[in-house]
Amino acid sequence: MSATHSGSLSDAHAHDEHDHHDLPWIRKYVFSEDHKYIAKQYLISGIVWAVIGGLLSVLFRLQLGFPDADLTWLKPLLGDWIQADGKLDPEFYLALVTMHGTIMVFFVLTAGLSGTFSNFLIPLQIGARDMASGFLNMLSYWFFFLSSAIMMASLFIKTGPASGGWVIYPPLSALPQAVNGSGLGMTLWLVAMAFFIASTLLGGLNYVTTIINLRTKGMTFSRLPLTIWAFFITAIIGLLSFPVLFSAALLLIFDRSFGTSFFLSEIYIGGEALHHEGGSPILFQHLFWFLGHPEVYIVLLPALGITSEIVATNSRKPIFGYKAMIFSIVAIAFLSFIVWAHHMFVTGMNPFLGSIFMFLTLIIAVPSAVKAFNYIATLWRGNIIFTPAMLFSIGLVSFFISGGLTGIVLGNSAADIQLHDTYFVVAHFHIVMGSASFFGMLAGVYHWFPKMFGRMMDDRLGYIHFWLTFIGVYLIFFPMHYIGIAGFPRRYYSWTGFDAFSTFTDLNELISIAAIVTFVAQFIFIFNFFYSMFKGRVSTMNPWNSNTLEWTTPINPGHGNWPGAIPTVYRWPYDYSKPGAAEDFIPQTIPFSQTPESNLPGETDEN
């Protein structure tokens, strides 16, 4: 596929520096149409939500690790959610778990990760002045902000936020009278998610359109960085799957407010039969997981793309198996749409149908293993530079492998039926999806911070942050595998009533202490981030000696990215340590005729 010259885009977005600085402050920094400012808005919002989501997990880990502790000291913060005996209210516990999952999956790892780096890197790495539509790009962030405001408001209402689990299964989510969190809190959850989905679709349309149409001269698809491939496929997955969740939420609103029975049938509350028949809560699960499983890769693929760039750059080697990496991304995306029912092995599905989904689930391990192998092969005998970004990328690879191995266990329907409602599942998806994606996000921040803010983050604080977080994550989730295999149930407010689980008291305390320490460690990053933004060492133009186009822009690029003509691309983005070259990196903008390898047969400036 040939590249598209972005000269027309240059004309369309040719805001010279004088015109740009004449913009009112609110248009330049708040309602900005510059993709770089929008990326920073997503990033700051994602950090705020990560703190909130992490704090919620600390609160329910206090309950799980120390079930007999007196939490009266939290009453000024939580009010009536702390009972007279100093214990956490059981319904509020379910609300904490619901909001933690919702916040981390959607607001941090979808909007905070993909929204930040897709916005920031796509125009810079493909050689475009901006996104295809700056206005729609701005609108996508403010839909997300509105969604955030509604979700935040639900934390402060009297009956509490949504409490049906982050998967909001009916009937808890479909009957406003079921529990406190099924009332207004659930309504606000559904409204917030509607705006969030609108934001995601607007962003995804922009990303796909920009990558297809606005690449600079010479930027063929075979020369795209793997980051762009990951963002491109992720956007396509989102465009195809998020509308299904929207339809599920819309039908759920009908059941809640208009007396329909899409997901309800023969429901009794307090011995009273409700007027619902013909619906099926299993239908909702099919709709939810048709988004829910692709969502795993909506948050994971951008992190893997970021890791590809950082591992190659800091190994000073070409990425191993560039085409295989692309094919594996495409294969993962395709397979993610046809394995959704492996989340539903315990719903009583036909064993034959379950075996089909089991087979497809195990197949997805193949392209995933290709990516893991290629990362390791790139690292092998590389001249590795252990920057904080590189450490977090290696940490991602570690989580991707260890979490992926437990995924093979859960992909087996016979094993999953036994383990599904235990902490084994919690441990698996927190390592392979949550922690791996979060490490990818942190790696991206450390790596592209100089391009975002023109300054460097402090490496020493970055190393401390990495080791505390890396060790903390394994101390939290490795023990969960063990107690899960032993049958320790998830979703339970208290386990002290079961004598069989009393032997796991010490492990639960360890998990909770590790969770608290890991949460506190994130404030090292937050201090480093905001301090370096204003006081950090001033960056050079290309501090990592990278090959991709974003490092050819000024240290603080204006609206339009390049002050003059957009550079032309002549080569792929991973020409590191080429034999005979004067430097160990050759940027994409260097023609073959200007490097020693131009003497190789078949290589010309037109390649």
Side-chain angles (χ1 to χ4, degrees), residues 22 28 31 170 182 210 321 354 360 372 390 510 526 535 588 598:
D22 282 346
K28 183 177 177 183
F31 297 106
S182 298
T210 303
L360 295 171
M390 185 61 161
L510 171 65
I526 292 172
K535 299 291 186 179
Q588 289 187 277
S598 61

Side-chain angles (χ1 to χ4, degrees), residues 523-596:
F523 287 93
I524 298 172
F525 165 77
I526 292 172
F527 170 80
N528 194 2
F529 181 88
F530 287 103
Y531 179 84
S532 300
M533 191 188 300
F534 301 102
K535 299 291 186 179
R537 175 167 53 89
V538 176
S539 171
T540 57
M541 188 169 167
N542 187 1
W544 315 123
N545 291 334
S546 296
N547 291 339
T548 43
L549 287 182
E550 73 270 27
W551 304 107
T552 65
T553 63
I555 295 174
N556 290 297
H559 195 176
N561 299 330
W562 288 268
I566 299 176
T568 299
V569 167
Y570 298 95
R571 59 180 71 232
W572 77 322
Y574 300 111
D575 270 340
Y576 292 106
S577 301
K578 295 281 279 189
E583 302 283 349
D584 70 347
F585 71 106
I586 308 174
Q588 289 187 277
T589 55
I590 302 298
F592 282 98
S593 58
Q594 296 181 21
T595 54

Side-chain angles (χ1 to χ4, degrees), residues 94-106:
L94 182 56
L96 287 175
V97 175
T98 301
M99 296 304 291
H100 166 74
T102 300
I103 288 168
M104 300 306 289
V105 170
F106 295 115

Side-chain angles (χ1 to χ4, degrees), residues 2 18 28 47 56 165 264 279 303 328 370 424 477 509 547 550:
S2 61
H18 176 74
K28 183 177 177 183
I47 290 173
L56 297 182
L264 296 172
S328 68
V370 168
F424 193 92
F477 299 116
E509 290 182 1
N547 291 339
E550 73 270 27

